[in-house]
Amino acid sequence: MTISVLLVDDHEIVRRGLQQLLAVEADIDVVGEADSAQAATTLARELRPDVAIIDVRLPDGDGVVVCREIRSMLQPPPACLMLTSYSDDEALFGAIMAGAAGYMLKQVSGNDLVAAVRTLASGGSLLHADVTATVLQRLRGGPEEDPRYASLSPQERRILDLIAEGMTNRQIAQRLYLAEKTVKNYVSSLLHKLGFDRRTEAGVYAARRRQNRTRRL
């Protein structure tokens, strides 16, 4: 049987490389390519691939969310192989929870990627037992707390959340009924504890924490 594959990556050169790599395999057929989360969902519904190779980060969304959506809307669900440029424990955790059957770095060799497609198409998995055990442990004990965040006082955490909402020091002061100078001192303290130089970095950090909490629910 021919294995139908959907490629999902916002970089054309990556998609082209994957397509050329898989095209020479007689038992693998790349049936479609998508450069965004929205396009991936639409194409998956139309093409119903056996395997979807998905970049973890996409310009309009999260590859892990794409994996979850296409697996929930298609029967039988496609096997999803998540690709990423760097190791990310949170992304790995999210991918497993979304039902991904494999997770590989883009530095993987061509032979290994081809073998991975065949493994997933046959119902296999590329998630090692120790990785799965780590995920189960996190489910039982909850996510490990970032020691930097744990060092923040309750007030600093509240101010961090408001920074993530784009509020200025003056707006935060008005919201929390504090002096603007007091807020400035809190901001300086939380930046130091988190290891950031700019409040924008703290805002992005807080936003990502919020997204990760939402994914786990």
Side-chain angles (χ1 to χ4, degrees):
M1 293 180 59
T2 300
I3 303 168
S4 58
V5 177
L6 172 64
L7 303 179
V8 184
D9 196 294
D10 59 321
H11 294 99
E12 180 184 1
I13 192 169
V14 173
R15 297 197 309 275
R16 184 176 300 177
L18 290 172
Q19 199 280 336
Q20 292 176 350
L21 173 69
L22 298 174
V24 298
E25 304 298 328
D27 60 334
I28 299 176
D29 181 22
V30 176
V31 295
E33 300 180 20
D35 61 1
S36 67
Q38 182 176 1
T41 303
T42 300
L43 280 178
R45 184 182 292 109
E46 295 175 356
L47 302 173
R48 308 181 73 84
D50 299 314
V51 176
I53 301 178
I54 308 172
D55 189 3
V56 169
R57 284 172 171 49
L58 297 168
D60 62 337
D62 190 321
V64 171
V65 175
V66 172
C67 170
R68 182 183 301 113
E69 289 182 351
I70 66 177
R71 285 186 55 81
S72 64
M73 72 183 184
L74 297 178
Q75 290 298 329
C80 293
L81 173 61
M82 309 305 298
L83 285 185
T84 183
S85 299
Y86 52 90
S87 180
D88 183 339
D89 289 342
E90 284 299 328
L92 172 57
F93 179 79
I96 295 174
M97 295 303 297
Y103 187 96
M104 304 182 79
L105 296 178
K106 289 184 178 179
Q107 295 90 324
V108 66
S109 71
N111 289 337
D112 285 344
L113 184 66
V114 171
V117 170
R118 292 189 176 118
T119 297
L120 268 59
S122 64
S125 171
L126 295 176
L127 299 173
H128 296 294
D130 56 345
V131 173
T132 304
T134 299
V135 171
L136 292 176
Q137 179 63 35
R138 286 189 59 175
L139 287 174
R140 287 193 292 266
E144 295 182 5
E145 183 62 274
D146 184 339
R148 297 177 300 170
Y149 186 80
S151 70
L152 301 180
S153 69
Q155 188 74 298
E156 287 170 339
R157 295 182 185 184
R158 283 190 286 269
I159 290 175
L160 177 63
D161 287 337
L162 296 177
I163 290 175
E165 294 178 14
M167 287 192 176
T168 64
N169 285 355
R170 177 171 297 181
Q171 291 170 327
I172 294 173
Q174 293 172 345
R175 172 72 66 86
L176 300 180
Y177 303 102
L178 298 172
E180 187 173 348
K181 183 177 180 181
T182 301
V183 173
K184 183 177 180 180
N185 290 337
Y186 273 122
V187 172
S188 296
S189 175
L190 69 87
L191 287 178
H192 175 73
K193 290 180 179 180
L194 293 174
F196 297 137
D197 296 321
R198 296 182 294 275
R199 63 188 293 129
T200 52
E201 294 175 291
V204 170
Y205 170 82
R208 285 178 177 169
R209 277 186 55 85
R210 189 176 301 171
Q211 289 177 347
N212 290 334
R213 288 198 302 270
T214 301
R215 291 178 193 143
R216 297 186 190 110
L217 297 178

